[in-house]
Amino acid sequence: MSGQPGGPGPQNGPPSAGMGGPAQQAGVGQTGGGPQNTTQGSISQQNLNGIVIEYLSKKGYSRTEAMLRMESANTDREGRPVIQRVEDLGGDKYFKAFELARDWIEENLDIYKPELKRILYPLFVYSHLNLVMDCFPRERQKFFDGYKDLFIRTHESDIRILSTLSLPEHVSSNSVAQIYRTNKYRVTLSPQAYYNLVQFLEAKDKDGGTVVLSILQQYCNIRTGERGGASGSSISLIGAALGHGLKDEDVLAEDEGIPGHNPGSANTTASSSNVLVKLRLGLLPMDPDLAIDVQNELQDQDVKNPPDDGQNTLVQEFETLIKREQSDDTPAREDLPLPPYSARDVAMEVQKVRENRDRFKIEAKTGGTGPGLSVVMFTWHNTYDSINCLDFSEDNLLAAAGTSESYIRVWSLEGKALQSILPPSVDATPPSSSRRLIGHSGPVYAVSFSPSIKNDDPDPIWPSTAPRYLVSSSADKTIRMWSLDTWTNLVIYKGHDDPVWDVTWGPFGYYFLTGSHDKTARLWSTDHISALRIFAGHDQDVDTVCFHPNSVYVFTGSSDKTVRMWSIQTGSTVRLFTGHTGNLTSMACSPDGKTLASAADDGFIILWDLASGRRLKVMRGHGKGGIWSLSWSVESMVLVSGGADGTVRVWDVAVGGESTGPQGKVIAEGGAGTKIDGGATGGQGSSAAGGTAGVANTNVGGGGKKKGKEVVVTPDQISAFPTKKSPVYKVKFTRKNLVIAGGAYLP
């Protein structure tokens, strides 16, 4: 015992602890044993938990031993705690969570993938906002740059705004950020997709599932129900995305987003009630006295020109039209003040009845190819790209073009001299087949003829039914009304603060509507110098405007990618249609007053049901650059469109129908080509098209030398009529269902 060194003995610890033994003494006084001590220390540190556990076991401290074993399982070799849950990673947890959700959705079944992808955008937005609020600047920038390209197409404006947020103060002061943080983002999923999502996230709670669930529960309003349009089919959305050949990220879901901000509701603000304002979409009843005069005149016409065998008399046709006007949703005549009718109105109504009876009737698609429509294309040459707009008169005898050189030129489509009622001493311009109207001090952006109709059997005692006025809008902030009798300027309307992009006449020739860069639309009448209504609500330019057939409502399309429907009586918004991913370029309301067609510069056409405020369908076939004109057939069964890709396209607007044949397609749009029918399966049409069915090549330059970007053509397209190199500025259905189109040749 005397030979043992002093100090703690084995009773103070297990022999393996190295306390007081020869090994410890052997190390004392060594000068060159640095590496050896480092290794010894490393081994001791690594086994420290095991040594303590062994000690507790021998002493019988079982509960303490169990707790230590449980806690030591979550430490690394250095004794630091090992993070096993993604939510403990700080700012990096949002990377892991987003990747987890995206990878699972990409590997999911195709039938659920389009709707499940809808949760990625709110997951991205709220993850980004949380990173800003939690002060993770580097992680925020990395996360935003890494995933923004997934959503830049459908949410470009919001992505641009979110990119400027880097501090909590920015979030507090930014209106868009506050919209997201104070409202829940709405997404609708089918029950099976929702069940699969929740089940997966709960199973992956440690891998980021808890983070995703937390965001969805706190910031999203996920509704479970059948995904579908008016048909109610649970797979109609899938049919739109897959069967039509569209990518799911190209079209926003109708019921997605924050009401009043993002696509998702016909309501006008986020706080609006779920109950929409009831609309009166029926046609405006005819004045009773006017109806009597028209009927008497039609009786005389039936006596002079009896109908052919099997053909209705004009009186029978008129009675059918009158009955069609009478419905529960017909507005009252008092809702729309109009001047007293004149003899010209009687003559026009008589001719409308005659044309309605004698028109080429379009009832439905036949044989999978649709009706055999005829298109008359007028092409302007040597314009040097100076024409900004075109319009055709409703009697199909005149065409007007507004130019970048500040003047308007009107042509006779029959080549006849355009006479003036002024004496030669006053009108020094010799009669010719065209007239130039000079007065604007800036480029002319829109022209519109007042309502008219061609009288095939003019009676000398009746006044002319030719167009009497032309209105034009310009970069000089004014609207001008021109007389087509004297070919002079009658009125200058002022009120807009910026260039006026669009102008159009109402159906009754008394009101007209304008849209401007000042973000407003204005309603005017021929007998008032100032605007009757100012429609304010858009966030950007009002680029295109149109009337409802009953004139009680008007529509405005804007660069903010929304369409608004306004009441003329109140001047307030009654519908807000959101879902376009490009700037609005044209709109047209169906003659039956139930459906609106809107088109944007991304090549998409969307049909909206006005009563329910729901999107009916999305149609695509045009290349990018803008769809500049839309027009409906008399029966509201067919839509035609024309645009920058140099084609006139015919669309079947029926909802829920299935295509019965391959799609029409055009190779080298804007180049030479022939008309292709939707049901063509071979022959000249197939040879001209080439390539894959349902795909059109958009090599606008023509010639086929350079392969352009392929554009999917949806099965709704019936026919495509390509021009050589003429962008189509205007398309128009006549009252007899002939299509007139116009454009300028650009070599």
Side-chain angles (χ1 to χ4, degrees):
M1 293 289 293
S2 61
Q4 261 188 326
Q11 68 273 15
N12 294 325
S16 59
M19 297 181 181
Q24 184 183 27
Q25 259 193 336
V28 177
Q30 289 184 348
T31 58
Q36 181 178 352
N37 287 338
T38 302
T39 304
Q40 184 73 22
S42 175
I43 294 174
S44 298
Q45 180 67 33
Q46 182 179 6
N47 295 326
L48 180 59
N49 287 343
I51 294 170
V52 176
I53 290 173
E54 183 180 352
Y55 171 77
L56 294 174
S57 177
K58 287 184 177 181
K59 290 295 184 178
Y61 302 129
S62 56
R63 295 180 62 184
T64 307
E65 175 194 356
M67 292 180 63
L68 182 58
R69 285 183 182 276
M70 183 176 62
E71 293 181 1
S72 62
N74 295 327
T75 58
D76 60 13
R77 60 183 298 175
E78 301 297 333
R80 293 188 296 265
V82 175
I83 297 177
Q84 294 189 335
R85 300 179 64 87
V86 167
E87 56 262 37
D88 298 329
L89 290 176
D92 290 335
K93 66 182 179 182
Y94 296 107
F95 291 89
K96 300 290 185 182
F98 190 88
E99 286 291 339
L100 175 75
R102 188 180 68 165
D103 293 345
W104 177 74
I105 291 173
E106 289 295 337
E107 296 172 0
N108 217 298
L109 295 176
D110 287 342
I111 195 172
Y112 300 125
K113 191 182 298 183
E115 54 181 317
L116 286 172
K117 280 190 174 182
R118 307 298 180 187
I119 70 168
L120 291 180
Y121 178 68
L123 184 60
F124 166 79
V125 171
Y126 291 111
S127 296
H128 175 260
L129 293 176
N130 287 346
L131 284 169
V132 176
M133 296 301 294
D134 294 342
C135 298
F136 291 106
R138 286 181 296 180
E139 290 84 350
R140 179 208 70 84
Q141 191 64 48
K142 181 181 177 183
F143 179 85
F144 187 83
D145 293 342
Y147 303 117
K148 67 177 180 179
D149 291 340
L150 298 175
F151 315 104
I152 194 69
R153 176 176 174 80
T154 53
H155 301 87
E156 180 181 359
S157 58
D158 283 1
I159 294 296
R160 185 171 60 251
I161 293 172
L162 292 174
S163 66
T164 63
L165 308 179
S166 58
L167 296 173
E169 292 79 8
H170 297 166
V171 175
S172 302
S173 60
N174 187 273
S175 59
V176 173
Q178 286 304 305
I179 287 176
Y180 279 104
R181 290 185 64 83
T182 57
N183 297 279
K184 287 195 172 185
Y185 192 96
R186 184 173 60 186
V187 179
T188 301
L189 300 178
S190 63
Q192 188 61 42
Y194 179 71
Y195 173 78
N196 291 342
L197 173 65
V198 174
Q199 189 179 46
F200 169 76
L201 295 177
E202 289 179 347
K204 296 290 185 179
D205 59 334
K206 293 184 178 180
D207 300 325
T210 303
V211 178
V212 178
L213 278 174
S214 175
I215 291 177
L216 295 181
Q217 292 172 357
Q218 185 176 359
Y219 299 110
C220 294
N221 177 16
I222 298 183
R223 302 180 179 184
T224 56
E226 297 298 331
R227 295 301 307 268
S231 64
S233 171
S234 61
I235 61 172
S236 62
L237 177 70
I238 311 303
L242 300 178
H244 285 187
L246 297 179
K247 295 182 179 179
D248 52 278
E249 63 267 20
D250 286 343
V251 182
L252 290 168
E254 175 206 357
D255 48 4
E256 176 186 351
I258 297 173
H261 175 66
N262 274 348
S265 177
N267 289 322
T268 56
T269 64
S271 59
S272 296
S273 169
N274 290 329
V275 179
L276 297 177
V277 177
K278 180 176 175 57
L279 303 178
R280 295 184 175 272
L281 301 176
L283 300 181
L284 193 71
M286 185 178 294
D287 183 282
D289 295 334
L290 174 60
I292 294 174
D293 289 345
V294 171
Q295 190 166 12
N296 292 335
E297 179 62 24
L298 291 174
Q299 290 175 347
D300 295 341
Q301 294 287 336
D302 284 333
V303 173
K304 294 179 181 178
N305 302 298
D308 298 333
D309 293 340
Q311 191 178 42
N312 287 342
T313 64
L314 293 176
V315 173
Q316 291 173 334
E317 191 73 20
F318 178 66
E319 291 176 348
T320 302
L321 293 175
I322 291 295
K323 291 179 181 179
R324 193 180 306 167
E325 290 180 358
Q326 299 172 355
S327 61
D328 295 337
D329 62 350
T330 299
R333 285 196 59 82
E334 294 74 19
D335 295 342
L336 185 71
L338 291 172
Y341 74 92
S342 62
R344 183 176 185 272
D345 296 321
V346 176
M348 289 187 63
E349 292 298 332
V350 169
Q351 185 61 24
K352 285 179 183 179
V353 174
R354 182 184 288 112
E355 289 194 354
N356 188 74
R357 184 191 65 177
D358 299 339
R359 75 183 189 279
F360 169 67
K361 294 178 174 58
I362 301 175
E363 302 298 341
K365 293 181 70 173
T366 57
T369 61
L373 295 180
S374 297
V375 179
V376 177
M377 178 74 185
F378 292 90
T379 304
W380 276 255
H381 292 268
N382 303 320
T383 64
Y384 304 103
D385 200 18
S386 63
I387 291 181
N388 293 331
C389 55
L390 285 174
D391 192 31
F392 296 100
S393 62
E394 292 183 356
D395 63 357
N396 311 316
L397 296 178
L398 298 176
T403 70
S404 58
E405 298 166 348
S406 307
Y407 68 86
I408 302 161
R409 184 174 285 277
V410 181
W411 287 267
S412 168
L413 296 181
E414 295 182 320
K416 296 181 179 179
L418 300 177
Q419 302 289 341
S420 171
I421 63 173
L422 296 176
S425 59
V426 177
D427 183 16
T429 304
S432 66
S433 61
S434 68
R435 289 267 185 167
R436 181 180 294 190
L437 305 177
I438 300 175
H440 283 293
S441 59
V444 179
Y445 293 127
V447 290
S448 180
F449 284 101
S450 62
S452 61
I453 194 167
K454 184 179 180 181
N455 196 338
D456 297 325
D457 187 20
D459 192 325
I461 67 173
W462 288 101
S464 171
T465 57
R468 300 175 61 188
Y469 307 112
L470 177 77
V471 289
S472 59
S473 63
S474 169
D476 62 12
K477 311 176 187 178
T478 67
I479 305 98
R480 288 178 179 255
M481 179 183 292
W482 309 84
S483 169
L484 301 183
D485 294 327
T486 62
W487 303 103
T488 57
N489 184 211
L490 297 179
V491 188
I492 303 175
Y493 297 92
K494 297 181 179 180
H496 283 291
D497 299 325
D498 290 298
V500 185
W501 301 129
D502 196 17
V503 62
T504 185
W505 279 98
F508 300 101
Y510 178 64
Y511 298 102
F512 58 94
L513 184 66
T514 58
S516 170
H517 179 60
D518 63 11
K519 306 177 185 178
T520 69
R522 302 186 185 223
L523 181 72
W524 313 77
S525 68
T526 55
D527 56 0
H528 285 73
I529 194 64
S530 58
L532 304 179
R533 286 281 187 271
I534 299 178
F535 304 109
H538 284 290
D539 295 329
Q540 296 184 34
D541 299 25
V542 177
D543 298 313
T544 179
V545 295
C546 74
F547 277 86
H548 189 273
N550 62 20
S551 277
V552 176
Y553 304 102
V554 296
F555 303 92
T556 56
S558 170
S559 296
D560 63 11
K561 305 175 185 177
T562 67
V563 177
R564 288 179 180 259
M565 183 179 183
W566 309 80
S567 169
I568 284 182
Q569 286 182 291
T570 63
S572 60
T573 307
V574 294
R575 292 290 188 273
L576 172 66
F577 302 106
T578 52
H580 278 288
T581 58
N583 301 330
L584 272 295
T585 52
S586 61
M587 296 184 300
C589 188
S590 62
D592 62 11
K594 298 178 180 179
T595 309
L596 177 72
S598 59
D601 57 10
D602 57 5
F604 285 96
I605 301 172
I606 299 182
L607 301 183
W608 310 92
D609 179 68
L610 299 180
S612 64
R614 296 180 63 87
R615 186 177 68 199
L616 295 177
K617 67 192 307 185
V618 179
M619 304 184 295
R620 185 178 183 184
H622 283 280
K624 287 189 176 181
I627 298 173
W628 294 335
S629 185
L630 298 170
S631 183
W632 291 83
S633 65
V634 175
E635 301 82 2
S636 304
M637 296 293 295
V638 172
L639 182 75
V640 294
S641 60
D645 63 353
T647 63
V648 175
R649 296 179 185 266
V650 184
W651 307 91
D652 173 29
V653 300
V655 177
E658 295 183 359
S659 176
T660 58
Q663 279 318 110
K665 46 203 177 294
V666 180
I667 196 85
E669 295 180 11
T674 57
K675 177 247 186 182
I676 310 292
D677 286 331
T681 57
Q684 183 180 2
S686 295
S687 175
T692 305
V695 175
N697 187 305
T698 59
N699 181 9
V700 181
K705 295 182 179 179
K706 182 178 179 181
K707 185 177 180 180
K709 181 181 178 182
E710 291 184 342
V711 174
V712 174
V713 179
T714 59
D716 316 281
Q717 178 177 300
I718 297 173
S719 303
F721 298 85
T723 63
K724 289 186 176 180
K725 291 183 180 179
S726 303
V728 181
Y729 296 163
K730 185 71 176 182
V731 292
K732 193 168 194 172
F733 262 110
T734 68
R735 290 190 176 91
K736 290 188 176 181
N737 280 334
L738 173 70
V739 180
I740 298 178
Y745 179 72
L746 300 179

